[in-house]
Amino acid sequence: PNGKSLATFSGHMDQVLSLDWNKYAPEQFVTSSVDRTIKLWDIRNPRGQVAMFGPFEFSVRRVKFSPFSPHYIATAGYDMSASVWDTRNGSVVFVHDAHREFVFGVDWSLFHPGMMATCSWDEQVHLFNVPIVK
């Protein structure tokens, strides 16, 4: 192994904080950044993102594709919330805003469709259900 990159994707204007692969479309991944954007990428086109959401008011700390649908991503941000986005139209389909500090972690349950967890600087972990369709 020579340690060389297969491809380099540029487009964020500040630090990239998170990346996750689409479990249903192996050529797609999503990133989040200090530049307050979320970008959807396709490895077949390293010249630019497929879609961009934002800019938002605050940085997006974490992004995760749903393990049950190719179209939904969850985000955790410094706006003290976690959101679920539909990548087909860029709409927010769910917001969890019960934390009192920055949300820096979000994940989907692999065993309970729609169940999610968040963690925050408020020293709490929240579990909740997201009523989304596949």
Side-chain angles (χ1 to χ4, degrees):
N2 60 14
K4 291 184 180 179
S5 297
L6 296 175
T8 301
F9 294 79
S10 299
H12 282 293
M13 306 311 282
D14 210 327
Q15 299 166 2
V16 179
L17 298 174
S18 182
L19 176 147
D20 194 41
W21 290 96
N22 188 328
K23 283 76 173 161
Y24 294 90
E27 66 281 349
Q28 287 186 354
F29 65 94
V30 65
T31 56
S32 64
S33 172
V34 173
D35 70 10
R36 303 172 304 151
T37 65
I38 303 163
K39 295 191 178 204
L40 184 62
W41 306 87
D42 188 311
I43 63 172
R44 298 169 295 190
N45 179 21
R47 294 187 183 199
Q49 74 267 356
V50 174
M52 182 183 87
F53 309 110
F56 307 105
E57 188 175 356
F58 297 99
S59 300
V60 182
R61 179 67 182 94
R62 179 78 66 205
V63 64
K64 295 285 284 190
F65 263 106
S66 168
F68 298 103
S69 170
H71 307 295
Y72 294 106
I73 55 172
T75 60
Y78 291 149
D79 63 352
M80 296 183 256
S81 74
S83 301
V84 176
W85 298 78
D86 186 329
T87 60
R88 293 170 291 194
N89 57 24
S91 65
V92 176
V93 297
F94 182 84
V95 176
H96 176 75
D97 59 359
H99 283 288
R100 297 184 315 267
E101 284 289 340
F102 298 153
V103 179
F104 61 88
V106 64
D107 206 355
W108 302 84
S109 169
L110 295 176
F111 306 103
H112 305 283
M115 182 178 283
M116 296 183 66
T118 55
C119 55
S120 167
W121 285 4
D122 64 10
E123 302 173 0
Q124 296 181 351
V125 173
H126 292 185
L127 297 179
F128 53 92
N129 286 308
V130 177
I132 58 173
V133 296
K134 290 186 179 183

